[in-house]
Amino acid sequence: MTDVAITGSGVFTPAEVVTNDELVAAYNAHADAFNAAHADEIAAGTVVAKPHSSSQFIYDASGIERRHVMDKTGVLDPEVMHPLLRERRDDEPGIMTEIALEACGTALAQAGRGAGEIDLVICAASNHERPYPAIAIEIQKALGAGGFAFDMNVACSSATFGIQAAADMIRAGSARRALVVSPEICSGHLEWRDRDCHFIFGDVCTALVIEPADEAAGAHFRILSTRCATQFSNNIRNNNGFLRRTRPGHMEDRRDMLFMQEGRRVFREVLPLVSSHIAGHLDAAGVTAAELRRLWLHQANKAMNDFIGRKVMGRVPDQGEQPNILQDYANTSSAGSIIAFSQYSDDLAPGDRGLICSFGAGYSVGSVLVERG
Ligand code: COA
């Protein structure tokens, strides 16, 4: 079987940043306006008043300090509370393609490859801006790549599932060289008017080049093995979909047509799932935790990552063994662990091993065991 490697990575980071303080000020202004507009119903007990959010709570509960977004004007306008993004004509690239091109360009340059050498593009993300034609095919065309392309969505695990799909196809011979690209415009599916989650997400795009290890032009990470698992849960859910207009009331401004979660239950249920998933993966691969130089974990919550790091390593990981980027990016869905990998892997020496792991809605967990080549 062909040995497969990650030979390049790229991250597109939107220029606009929203700090917790800016976010909370906008949310609190929105809550005050809502409470004033519904004063009578609140007094009558038919509407619940919106309490204020707090920067301290956000930091303590999640570890997030700021997030990058594609548009902060709309997000921070108490009368809008969502990003405002220019509508693209059908004959110009969509916004997901636009940010994908930047991340793919960096990943290809690092791999020393031209886009024409790519024959598989997987757009692995938790949301796609339209059902068809596939965003991946638009990216393939804009890049000038060959072969075939398709979209896939496994929510926060999309990128790791995409790596497995690409690696398996290269091993099997149905593709030669792949780009797995994850444009995550999470600000579009976040309910910025909900105090419980308005701080969670940010926007980014990551890209990885995956190809036969013996063709790597420079430093690379051999994919030793991958493992994906799913287990149905409604605790992270979004009811938006193509049947929306067929259902009475679904075209209204409904809370369940955006990201919803039972955060506490997710926290409780996903931690054991991920810890045992990683332990099982390492065991099956014949690799011990002591051999891992780095854990690039999904970036949703610092306490979650601390817990998983401790469970996997059997001790508190040393500083640098389990890098977090969520303080600067917030949760960027499937892209989070790839940002961590991209930013914190250069220093590893040949033979060093590490594990990329993402997890989230589904539930879904994907892990990728790599070795520096
Ligand atoms: N500001 C101030 N207080 C807030 C608040 C905010 N923005 N949001 C919630 N609170 C309040 C709650 O109302 C609650 O008050 P109560 O105790 O009076 O009921 C209290 O703070 C605790 O809320 P809770 O939701 O239990 O907080 P938490 O400690 O569970 O942290 C998350 C919330 C979302 C950060 C955390 O549950 C989490 O990270 N879960 C997993 C998320 C995840 O991985 N999701 C995957 C997404 S892809």
Side-chain angles (χ1 to χ4, degrees):
M1 278 248 224
T2 311
D3 231 0
V4 178
I6 299 172
T7 59
S9 65
V11 179
F12 162 78
T13 302
E16 297 190 15
V17 175
V18 176
T19 64
N20 287 348
D21 285 348
E22 287 176 295
L23 183 75
V24 165
Y27 176 86
N28 289 348
H30 158 76
D32 291 344
F34 175 91
N35 293 343
H38 296 88
D40 292 344
E41 294 113 301
I42 292 168
T46 53
V47 168
V48 179
K50 288 193 176 202
H52 276 187
S53 182
S54 119
S55 296
Q56 195 59 48
F57 171 87
I58 293 170
Y59 180 71
D60 293 344
S62 67
I64 296 165
E65 295 174 34
R66 61 191 76 84
R67 70 280 298 139
H68 292 264
V69 291
M70 296 300 292
D71 167 62
K72 70 186 278 187
T73 335
V75 162
L76 293 181
D77 182 339
E79 289 180 14
V80 179
M81 303 292 277
H82 56 73
L84 295 168
L85 303 173
R86 181 178 69 80
E87 187 176 356
R88 270 41 174 187
R89 295 187 316 272
D90 287 357
D91 63 356
E92 60 178 333
I95 190 164
M96 288 181 75
T97 294
E98 193 178 292
I99 65 176
L101 292 181
E102 296 227 13
C104 290
T106 310
L108 286 166
Q110 198 181 91
R113 294 287 170 203
E117 296 177 276
I118 298 293
D119 64 356
L120 167 63
V121 178
I122 302 179
C123 181
S126 40
N127 288 278
H128 294 92
E129 67 184 288
R130 59 167 185 268
Y132 47 83
I135 310 300
I137 303 177
E138 191 176 72
I139 297 169
Q140 173 198 27
K141 177 183 176 234
L143 282 170
F148 62 105
F150 61 89
D151 292 346
M152 61 182 280
N153 175 1
V154 201
C156 289
S157 301
S158 299
T160 46
F161 277 55
I163 294 171
Q164 171 165 292
D168 284 351
M169 282 190 254
I170 294 168
R171 286 191 193 105
S174 50
R176 179 119 198 109
R177 195 166 282 119
L179 267 169
V180 177
V181 53
S182 302
E184 293 284 12
I185 306 182
C186 301
S187 59
H189 70 101
L190 175 59
E191 178 50 279
W192 298 86
R193 297 168 298 181
D194 182 343
R195 180 180 86 140
D196 288 346
C197 68
H198 75 124
F199 54 90
I200 287 182
F201 287 115
D203 300 336
V204 81
C205 181
T206 56
L208 296 171
V209 176
I210 300 176
E211 58 183 320
D214 61 4
E215 293 180 19
H220 58 277
F221 283 87
R222 219 152 56 82
I223 298 175
L224 299 179
S225 70
T226 58
R227 176 173 280 210
C228 294
T230 49
Q231 179 184 304
F232 189 76
S233 166
N234 269 323
N235 289 330
I236 312 172
R237 191 171 170 112
N238 183 332
N239 280 333
N240 196 6
F242 81 105
L243 293 178
R244 190 169 178 177
R245 69 171 183 161
T246 68
R247 296 172 175 143
H250 275 222
M251 296 307 283
E252 286 159 21
D253 178 14
R254 279 174 53 143
R255 178 65 191 89
D256 65 330
M257 298 298 162
L258 293 164
F259 167 87
M260 294 188 301
Q261 77 164 350
E262 295 283 346
R264 281 269 148 177
R265 295 179 74 170
V266 173
F267 206 103
R268 260 202 327 269
E269 294 172 8
V270 164
L271 286 178
L273 194 67
V274 173
S275 308
S276 65
H277 176 95
I278 295 176
H281 185 177
L282 292 179
D283 204 33
V287 173
T288 64
E291 291 174 67
L292 292 182
R293 283 287 319 279
R294 196 134 309 161
L295 283 177
W296 299 282
L297 296 180
H298 178 50
Q299 302 286 317
N301 182 297
K302 182 172 183 306
M304 265 175 132
N305 285 4
D306 289 348
F307 180 95
I308 294 167
R310 257 195 328 271
K311 265 272 190 238
V312 171
M313 298 292 207
R315 59 178 169 79
V316 177
D318 291 341
Q319 211 180 8
E321 276 183 316
Q322 183 208 297
N324 282 325
I325 53 89
L326 59 86
Q327 64 282 0
D328 298 320
Y329 283 87
N331 183 343
T332 48
S333 196
S334 74
S337 57
I338 308 301
I339 306 172
F341 171 76
S342 185
Q343 293 187 352
Y344 294 95
S345 50
D346 272 1
D347 60 311
L348 294 189
D352 282 349
R353 290 172 172 184
L355 184 106
I356 304 170
C357 182
S358 56
F359 44 85
Y363 296 130
S364 56
V365 194
S367 51
V368 181
L369 189 58
V370 296
E371 181 179 284
R372 180 89 191 207

